[in-house]
Amino acid sequence: MKSAVDIAADVRSGASSAREELERTLGVIEARNAELNVFLHVDVDGARRAAQAIDERVARGEDVGALAGVPIAIKDNMCQVGIPTTCSSKILKGWRPPYDATVITKIVAAGAVPVGKTNLDEFAMGSSTENSAFGPTRNPLDPTRVPGGSSGGSAAAVAAEMTAISLGSDTGGSIRQPAALCGLVGVKPTYGLVSRYGLVAFASSLDQIGPFSKTVKDSAVLLEVIAGHDPRDSTSLPEPSPSLVAHVNDGVAGKRIGLVRELFEGADENVVTCVRAAADALRDAGADVVELSIPELALTLSAYYLIAPAEASSNLARFDGVRYGLRVKADDVTSMMEATRTAGFGAEVKRRIMLGTYALSAGYYDAYYGQALKVRTLTIEAFARAYAQVDLLLGATTPSVAFKFGDKTDDPMAMYLNDVFTIPTNLAGDPALSVPFGTADEGLPVGVQLLGPGRSEAQLFAAARVLEIADGRS
Ligand code: GLN
């Protein structure tokens, strides 16, 4: 399918129209959504009105923006005025936000056309979309397998060629992991680069919004549009959006890249083969690739599964049956809240709330939450030491290719282990991306992960572009 860059160029030049591009998108959604369960809500009328407005502005000779007329899919944990926002939870069923997330405001200002809200693991907790209250999303490349998660719907929208680009959120891997399983580029930006205003909070110190696309350049364009300071998010970096697209073809000549043992050891053999091939491709392009070890990374999964649930237990306290969505009637307010939360939350969300409440409780706080924060500090320092030696790091995104439905649902630990390679950068606040490189025996895509220090997105895109070319993808 056409890339977002090409769609925008065609719409701006008049070779195509926003309406035409939108109707193509709506046609694919119509043909495939029932089978794949990608979109929970498609805003047909709103998208048609937006496309019409873009075409009128083009006709008047206005500069419509970098994403002129590009249909885009939005993970259903981002607020859009008047559009149902569920986080794939029964507790939010029927809730319509009264305001737009900053990312929505920014993509619309750049000419994009939001077409609808995509499925996810409930409140972004999971790695397969099997935790959605509205049924799992299927992987368009093999519908017997999961698309990954938690942004499985946003990944599947692009993999199924419904839209060229989409937005996801990544707290512990939820953009990079589904990108790897669906053969896409997926980016977790530096913490604070993209505003979280209007993103329903899961773990506020880790959450970041980022792009999915088939091409490296499309993700660079979309990230450039959504990045930049936002006074409405107190954790937003006080700097303007970085220049990314201009650096996509900078290459890696002279760069030092560390292949990190802890970020691929233990992965399936076919994944390790692709990671090593990616290291060779970067070397061929002029990078100096060295193998290194960051032993602290072995501790990060445990720390994440204390910090993320602790923050979630606090963030999800607001769903009390009073202010949002579902309310189960009962005789008094305490029973109403208990009945609403019992009926509204799924099993994984309840597990996280209990884990987090326990980790934060008096008497256990120091032993669990406090200890996890120390591991987080060690992780930040360990990455900083690595980046004193090399420019970027390389590893696997996931331990395996896309797995089958039900393979990991009986064992929470098996599901959590999917994020073992993606979680470390969330704890450090540094950026990382997944780019497809090679295929496994079953013909399924493998993603390799590139990591860098804070605000190194331009370098990450340049390295990803080298791999995209070496893999024959453009
Ligand atoms: N799979 C991880 C979890 O369940 C990460 C989720 C995410 O990044 N939103 O917490």
Side-chain angles (χ1 to χ4, degrees):
M1 91 170 270
K2 256 201 256 180
S3 68
V5 169
D6 289 344
I7 293 172
D10 285 354
V11 169
R12 279 196 300 261
S13 73
S16 172
S17 66
R19 190 59 195 259
E20 218 173 289
E21 299 295 342
L22 174 65
E23 293 308 321
R24 196 208 65 84
T25 282
L26 294 176
V28 184
I29 294 173
E30 173 76 28
R32 299 204 71 189
N33 199 49
E35 176 207 359
L36 300 173
N37 198 27
V38 170
F39 283 90
L40 299 175
H41 179 83
V42 181
D43 181 25
V44 177
D45 294 341
R48 282 195 174 132
R49 274 196 304 274
Q52 183 77 34
I54 300 283
D55 289 335
E56 285 164 9
R57 289 177 55 200
V58 171
R60 285 199 297 270
E62 286 177 34
D63 178 11
V64 183
L67 297 174
V70 179
I72 180 168
I74 312 292
K75 185 177 183 178
D76 199 22
N77 61 352
M78 296 174 212
C79 294
Q80 203 184 335
V81 174
I83 306 292
T85 297
T86 67
C87 294
S88 288
S89 181
K90 283 190 278 191
I91 210 153
L92 276 175
K93 214 172 167 194
W95 181 63
R96 289 170 189 258
Y99 68 100
D100 276 337
T102 295
V103 288
I104 299 287
T105 309
K106 288 195 174 215
I107 58 170
V108 168
V113 176
V115 291
K117 310 298 290 291
T118 59
N119 200 12
L120 62 148
D121 287 293
E122 187 175 358
F123 285 105
M125 297 172 189
S127 307
S128 67
T129 71
E130 290 168 292
N131 292 337
S132 168
F134 308 118
T137 295
R138 294 183 178 278
N139 189 323
L141 306 177
D142 175 352
T144 68
R145 293 172 193 265
V146 304
S150 65
S151 315
S154 282
V158 177
E161 305 195 337
M162 292 167 165
T163 58
I165 48 173
S166 61
L167 287 179
S169 63
D170 191 312
T171 304
S174 280
I175 294 174
R176 290 161 288 159
Q177 187 258 14
L181 272 43
C182 289
L184 305 172
V185 176
V187 187
K188 198 287 285 181
T190 303
Y191 184 77
L193 187 71
V194 179
S195 170
R196 292 182 297 107
Y197 180 75
L199 168 71
V200 179
F202 162 13
S204 312
S205 77
L206 302 161
D207 300 339
Q208 265 297 282
I209 295 172
F212 284 102
S213 62
K214 285 208 173 173
T215 68
V216 171
K217 197 168 175 195
D218 273 2
S219 272
V221 172
L222 180 50
L223 183 54
E224 211 174 282
V225 166
I226 61 175
H229 180 63
D230 179 10
R232 287 171 156 157
D233 173 359
S234 61
T235 61
S236 167
L237 291 168
E239 287 142 71
S241 177
S243 161
L244 302 173
V245 185
H247 295 287
V248 161
N249 289 313
D250 281 1
V252 291
K255 295 273 183 236
R256 279 177 71 79
I257 300 179
L259 174 58
V260 187
R261 240 165 273 150
E262 287 76 13
L263 293 181
F264 68 89
E265 274 179 1
D268 288 355
E269 209 182 301
N270 50 27
V271 172
V272 175
T273 305
C274 290
V275 172
R276 290 206 177 275
D280 291 342
L282 292 165
R283 219 174 258 130
D284 290 346
D288 179 12
V289 183
V290 292
E291 199 159 321
L292 52 85
S293 169
I294 310 179
E296 290 85 350
L297 302 193
L299 306 169
T300 52
L301 189 77
S302 311
Y304 172 87
Y305 277 99
L306 289 163
I307 293 170
E311 295 185 18
S313 70
S314 168
N315 275 326
L316 271 57
R318 66 174 61 106
F319 302 109
D320 55 6
V322 177
R323 287 171 289 186
Y324 304 93
L326 184 74
R327 177 181 303 167
V328 177
K329 290 209 161 47
D331 293 340
D332 57 73
V333 72
T334 311
S335 325
M336 181 282 285
M337 285 180 187
E338 191 178 321
T340 300
R341 287 168 68 87
T342 301
F345 289 135
E348 183 61 28
V349 175
K350 286 175 181 158
R351 179 181 296 122
R352 304 280 179 112
I353 291 172
M354 286 189 279
L355 281 171
T357 306
Y358 185 77
L360 290 176
S361 58
Y364 294 104
Y365 184 96
D366 288 340
Y368 291 108
Y369 186 67
Q371 201 68 10
L373 289 184
K374 287 181 188 158
V375 170
R376 186 171 195 173
T377 302
L378 289 177
T379 307
I380 293 167
E381 291 169 356
F383 271 119
R385 273 197 300 277
Y387 292 129
Q389 288 169 27
V390 296
D391 299 299
L392 302 175
L393 299 171
L394 173 70
T397 306
T398 57
S400 73
V401 295
F403 46 94
K404 301 247 179 191
F405 288 100
D407 267 7
K408 298 179 198 274
T409 39
D410 294 339
D411 178 3
M413 264 315 285
M415 195 65 92
Y416 296 174
L417 278 165
N418 258 284
D419 306 309
V420 67
F421 301 140
T422 48
I423 277 172
T425 44
N426 294 86
L427 289 181
D430 293 335
L433 60 74
S434 183
V435 59
F437 196 81
T439 45
D441 302 340
E442 308 93 321
L444 292 163
V446 171
V448 302
Q449 194 183 186
L450 289 159
L451 305 81
R455 307 224 62 173
S456 64
E457 280 83 357
Q459 288 187 64
L460 291 173
F461 282 121
R465 176 82 185 120
V466 166
L467 294 180
E468 179 176 59
I469 293 168
D471 200 34
R473 285 176 192 271
S474 72

